[in-house]
Amino acid sequence: MRASDTPVLRDIVLVGGGHSHAVLLRRWAMQPLPGVRLTLICRDTHTPYSGMLPAYIAGHYTHEQVHIDLRTLAQAAGARFFKAEVTGLDRGAQRVLCQGRPPVAYDWLSINIGATPGFGAAGASAHALPVKPIDRFNRRWLELLERVRGRPARWRLAVVGAGAGGVELLLAMQWRLRRELQALGRDPGAIEFSIYTDAPVILPTHNARVQRHFMDLLRQRGVLVHTGQAVTQVWAGCLQTQSGRVFDADEVIWVTQAVGAPWLRETGLALDAQGFIEVNDCLQSTADARVFAAGDVASRVGQPLAKAGVFAVRQAMPLLHNLRASVLGQPLKPYRAQQRWLALLGTGGAQAVASRGALSAHGGWVWRWKDWIDRRFMAQFTHLPLAMPAHAGTPLLPVSEAEREQALAASAMRCGGCGAKVGASVLGRVLARLPVSARDDVPIGLQQAQDAAVVRVPPGKALVQSVDFFRAFIDDPYVLGRIAANHALGDVWAMGADAQSALAIATVPPGLESRTEDVLTQMMTGAAEVLQAAGCALVGGHSAEGQELALGFAINGLIDQDLSTLLRKSGLRPGDALVLTKPVGTGCLLVAHQMLRARGHWIDAALDSMMQSSQQAAQCLREHGAHACTDVTGFGLLGHLLEMSRPSGVDVELDLAALPVFEGAIESAGAGHLSSAQPANAQVRTALRNLQAHAAHPKLPLLFDPQTAGGLLASVPAAQAAACVQALHAAGYLRAAVIGRVLPASADAAPAVLKA
Ligand SMILES: Cc1cc2nc3c(=O)[nH]c(=O)nc-3n(C[C@H](O)[C@H](O)[C@H](O)COP(=O)(O)OP(=O)(O)OC[C@H]3O[C@@H](n4cnc5c(N)ncnc54)[C@H](O)[C@@H]3O)c2cc1C
């Protein structure tokens, strides 16, 4: 999370991480525009590069080689990355509507979401497998590989659609499946392949020589080609064509002409007959000058283009230019598409066909050429440099007088004390929108707007209090809000209490009122949702300007007055098992992400874990007779464990082999991407009796790694431990594990023993 000197004046939001946006982000990283914030919203963290997709299916490349890591790319570009599915637009309010999170405000919007399969046959949406979204196709493809490996029977695979995508995909699948069967010593011809198209020829957009070449190839490889045969019906296990003939098909892959995403119809944007966004020569919507579109989803009025990744890539630079020009109030430039373009089509193995207008060529050299081009394209998205800082100073953007004044005020010296409060009107509007739990024991809370909240401690209950606060470590304020609330609640859950009420403390960087309000809304909505789900009433708080975004909560919990259900840190009993509910490694992963050395899906998994409430875990631990519990946070696993073992007067054994760690955590720690808190945390290493024997263990640094919204660590009777872990898994804590045991106190000054 980087603080910027220039207040945010304008927001460009990119919807979808297609080829155009990926290249645009790469370029933005080299030349950001001061005062302009870029946000990418995409449902997938890793987006495929279409040129290498068939060869990936054929087994020539790994998943990583053919996917662009959008989270890391956005980080490199200094852009925010929101992992979310866009479901609509509120163009009047200039907001992007997303599944499961608050709308995102924009000044200019660009859409690059590709195409959606157009199922033109009855039953196809239920029984056929569309090639897009590609991650779902990939999951099903990997399942199909497993099924074919496991079932020594004949298999029929049908591809519907014989454009370049369909033909290339069929040849790639055939290549891979045959090799798989050969490797298993089975008949490679056991799988029958067929392809169907309503067109009179395959590859209708290519020249006759290319069509002939592929027809010959398909025949040689035993593929049944059905041209002029529209598929009209699909059932489980078979399909029917317009002639009325029914063909057996165990798997039907759908690669026909695609259409625009259904949600675009509700946006009021002008769409073509297939539902794609109509754009002018400048890639600007013909209905809304604030909306741009590129790639498959864009339909150029008067000059429609083939749906091919090559155009999406080429549109990136004009798109970037026109978005910047729009923000700067400068004239837009038209995009001139090539009339003829080079297509390099793979044939399954290490051969390819080049096709351009009336020209064609084929052979191993074409494949090597294609491989070189594709690898060079992907190389620009690996080993990214950190974003150039946007130069501070007076922004050159055309802004209103009121905005200029607010921007100058935000850049000028800021007051301290109460002068640093976020404007009352902003706060009032934000708070009024939040979902808040109403509770009988909260007579005066957020809704009543008094100077302070009033909460009652119900008869027979005692109050449990805790406070937590941290600065932002991720650019998504909604996710940050969810994590901050979870992190703060963790202490109360660990004590065995129920959360009753919360007070928030937030700092927001100064800026335009509208941007401050938006960030506060996103962040507080995330937090309020978590608190509400926990039955905890948000009763008030304070927000102030600060250099960095930060959020914390004081939580009130309730517990039985006799404290009989209270879980202390000091209750460890010799013989107990140590149960940990979540993996460790968030600290080093977040550092690696800042350094652009983490993979996007590592960070996704860590964030998902941080957003997982520990409420059910705490209940589960209690139900299995836990004697002591704590939440693992800033001091790292060993630091928190020693906080338990020392007052309990026991020793502990930690099993490094059993310790669950996040994917990528060992690599990140091993590469030296360690939190700034690590050295202080690592001072407790003197408590490790046999440190020397395990000094080189790759998990060792993770014992000192500070955790954000980490798991609960509990001492559970050994006889209950297996059932407890099983129940935790069933409750969704899939990596919960027994990570060690409690030992009787020894005479040794170092109370912790490692086992590997
Ligand atoms: C098998 C196959 C092989 C192909 N081979 C080639 C080839 O060799 N060369 C070539 O030029 N073209 C090829 N194509 C065509 C090519 O795949 C497409 O033209 C290209 O992917 C379009 O790129 P795009 O940038 O428009 O969008 P896409 O690459 O489709 O990317 C869209 C992005 O938007 C995201 N997204 C979608 N909906 C939402 C939403 N609602 N909210 C948030 N995010 C969303 C997706 O997750 C994805 O990241 C092939 C197609 C297929 C099917």
Side-chain angles (χ1 to χ4, degrees):
M1 180 85 200
R2 285 146 289 172
S4 164
D5 294 339
T6 313
V8 176
L9 295 170
R10 293 289 178 257
D11 272 296
I12 297 177
V13 174
L14 309 176
V15 170
H19 299 65
S20 317
H21 285 169
V23 176
L24 183 152
L25 280 161
R26 184 70 186 85
R27 294 301 171 129
W28 183 273
M30 298 172 195
Q31 211 188 348
L33 206 51
V36 180
R37 180 168 58 189
L38 204 57
T39 304
L40 171 65
I41 310 175
C42 190
R43 110 189 130 200
D44 301 311
T45 299
H46 297 267
T47 201
Y49 168 49
S50 57
M52 293 167 104
L53 210 54
Y56 160 70
I57 299 291
H60 300 301
Y61 302 119
T62 62
H63 185 272
E64 198 186 334
Q65 280 175 309
V66 306
H67 283 79
I68 298 168
D69 181 343
L70 294 171
R71 189 180 279 287
T72 307
L73 177 60
Q75 176 77 7
R80 303 190 298 180
F81 178 68
F82 294 0
K83 186 175 190 301
E85 169 132 20
V86 171
T87 54
L89 299 181
D90 177 351
R91 288 197 295 123
Q94 290 180 205
R95 277 175 157 62
V96 180
L97 310 179
C98 303
Q99 179 76 44
R101 60 170 296 144
V104 180
Y106 67 86
D107 294 297
W108 277 272
L109 181 72
S110 175
I111 304 178
N112 178 212
I113 56 168
T116 305
F119 291 116
S125 62
H127 301 295
L129 170 60
V131 74
K132 294 216 171 172
I134 206 72
D135 57 324
R136 208 176 79 195
F137 173 78
N138 188 42
R139 274 199 300 277
R140 285 276 295 268
W141 163 245
L142 296 176
E143 281 166 25
L144 178 73
L145 275 177
E146 280 309 309
R147 266 185 289 151
V148 170
R149 284 180 193 131
R151 205 175 102 182
R154 288 199 78 73
W155 202 278
R156 290 168 211 85
L157 199 148
V159 170
V160 181
V167 171
E168 264 197 286
L169 191 66
L170 182 143
L171 291 170
M173 289 192 292
Q174 188 189 47
W175 180 267
R176 176 77 178 271
L177 288 168
R178 287 189 158 188
R179 255 133 213 87
E180 292 281 340
L181 291 179
Q182 257 166 351
L184 291 169
R186 298 197 348 229
D187 173 16
I191 303 176
E192 188 182 281
F193 292 86
S194 52
I195 190 163
Y196 298 80
T197 175
D198 55 357
V201 288
I202 62 165
L203 301 166
T205 57
H206 293 269
N207 64 54
R209 281 178 61 191
V210 172
Q211 290 169 0
R212 267 199 310 278
H213 181 86
F214 273 97
M215 269 310 265
D216 292 346
L217 206 61
L218 289 167
R219 287 205 185 101
Q220 279 164 24
R221 296 190 187 172
V223 178
L224 304 169
V225 182
H226 302 271
T227 50
Q229 291 288 317
V231 172
T232 52
Q233 175 88 47
V234 184
W235 297 275
C238 60
L239 58 78
Q240 187 176 40
T241 61
Q242 69 196 90
S243 63
R245 284 186 67 189
V246 174
F247 297 88
D248 288 337
D250 299 295
E251 194 75 48
V252 179
I253 315 281
W254 207 260
V255 203
T256 61
Q257 198 64 26
V259 295
W263 63 264
L264 292 173
R265 285 184 228 128
E266 312 300 319
T267 59
L269 292 171
L271 307 180
D272 71 7
Q274 281 73 45
F276 295 116
I277 301 169
E278 286 190 343
V279 294
N280 61 22
D281 285 353
C282 300
L283 301 172
Q284 191 176 35
S285 157
T286 54
D288 187 338
R290 290 195 174 268
V291 178
F292 289 76
D296 280 7
V297 76
S299 172
R300 291 219 315 167
V301 176
Q303 198 199 358
L305 299 172
K307 301 294 180 202
V310 62
F311 290 113
V313 169
R314 290 204 183 126
Q315 286 168 357
M317 291 311 286
L319 178 67
L320 174 61
H321 176 274
N322 287 338
L323 283 168
R324 291 173 74 103
S326 299
V327 175
L328 293 165
Q330 293 170 353
L332 308 188
K333 268 195 204 157
Y335 156 66
R336 300 202 195 289
Q338 283 176 303
Q339 290 307 309
R340 278 197 289 260
W341 50 285
L342 174 70
L344 298 171
L345 308 168
T347 61
Q351 302 266 323
V353 177
S355 162
R356 187 170 192 271
L359 306 174
S360 75
H362 61 90
W365 67 271
V366 183
W367 160 258
R368 289 190 292 280
W369 182 30
K370 175 175 165 55
D371 177 62
W372 179 78
I373 292 174
D374 290 341
R375 283 179 193 267
R376 201 176 56 146
F377 177 79
M378 287 303 287
Q380 65 181 308
F381 300 108
T382 45
H383 297 294
L384 295 158
L386 274 169
M388 307 273 288
H391 297 296
T394 312
L396 303 167
L397 313 183
V399 290
S400 70
E401 203 44 48
E403 287 175 325
R404 184 169 300 280
E405 274 173 24
Q406 284 183 38
L408 285 172
S411 317
M413 199 179 77
R414 305 298 292 171
C415 293
C418 286
K421 256 176 98 66
V422 169
S425 52
V426 171
L427 198 57
R429 284 196 297 272
V430 172
L431 296 180
R433 286 187 218 120
L434 296 181
V436 176
S437 295
R439 288 181 61 117
D440 292 343
D441 51 5
V442 179
I444 296 183
L446 209 52
Q447 287 89 355
Q448 285 77 16
Q450 297 297 321
D451 283 342
V454 177
V455 297
R456 287 196 190 99
V457 180
K461 293 287 178 185
L463 202 60
V464 178
Q465 288 190 303
S466 162
V467 65
D468 260 306
F469 180 73
F470 55 65
R471 43 195 263 269
F473 55 86
I474 191 93
D475 284 319
D476 184 337
Y478 173 74
V479 170
L480 178 73
R482 292 192 71 92
I483 294 172
N486 257 328
H487 184 84
L489 286 164
D491 288 323
V492 173
W493 304 138
M495 298 283 289
D498 291 322
Q500 181 219 35
S501 54
L503 288 165
I505 177 94
T507 63
V508 191
L512 297 192
E513 202 173 280
S514 58
R515 314 295 137 154
T516 306
E517 181 170 338
D518 185 55
V519 168
L520 256 184
T521 302
Q522 297 271 340
M523 186 166 77
M524 290 310 299
T525 303
E529 285 174 4
V530 168
L531 294 171
Q532 195 185 34
C536 179
L538 179 64
V539 293
H542 180 83
S543 55
E545 287 177 353
Q547 229 194 334
E548 286 176 294
L549 192 64
L551 182 61
F553 293 91
I555 306 279
N556 290 322
L558 295 174
I559 196 140
D560 290 347
Q561 201 168 28
D562 62 7
L563 307 189
S564 55
T565 53
L566 186 80
L567 283 174
R568 294 183 169 84
K569 290 184 189 177
S570 52
L572 299 191
R573 294 192 193 166
D576 276 2
L578 292 169
V579 174
L580 180 67
T581 62
K582 294 183 185 178
V584 293
T586 61
C588 60
L589 279 173
L590 292 171
V591 173
H593 181 48
Q594 301 287 328
M595 306 301 295
L596 310 178
R597 289 295 173 262
R599 297 202 188 136
H601 69 270
W602 296 351
I603 304 303
D604 285 353
L607 293 176
D608 285 347
S609 173
M610 290 184 235
M611 284 192 280
Q612 186 178 24
S613 162
S614 285
Q615 185 171 16
Q616 270 185 289
Q619 192 185 334
C620 187
L621 292 168
R622 279 205 306 267
E623 283 168 5
H624 289 85
H627 295 128
C629 186
T630 192
D631 65 330
V632 179
T633 52
F635 296 137
L637 179 66
L638 187 63
H640 288 285
L641 180 57
L642 292 170
E643 282 187 344
M644 299 177 92
S645 65
R646 282 177 174 144
S648 304
V650 294
D651 285 6
V652 284
E653 180 186 77
L654 261 181
D655 183 354
L656 288 172
L659 177 66
V661 300
F662 288 107
E663 188 184 355
I666 289 179
E667 290 91 324
S668 301
H673 303 308
L674 299 170
S675 160
S676 51
Q678 181 95 2
N681 285 357
Q683 285 174 17
V684 295
R685 58 178 41 217
T686 51
L688 292 170
R689 199 175 301 160
N690 53 348
L691 175 64
Q692 283 314 318
H694 300 280
H697 197 288
K699 285 187 186 171
L700 187 73
L702 299 175
L703 299 184
F704 318 114
D705 187 55
Q707 303 303 292
T708 303
L712 298 179
L713 173 63
S715 162
V716 175
Q720 298 257 39
C724 179
V725 169
Q726 211 175 4
L728 284 166
H729 290 174
Y733 304 92
L734 303 178
R735 306 283 309 278
V738 172
I739 60 158
R741 58 195 177 115
V742 183
L743 305 173
S746 69
D748 203 304
V753 189
L754 293 177
K755 180 183 155 193

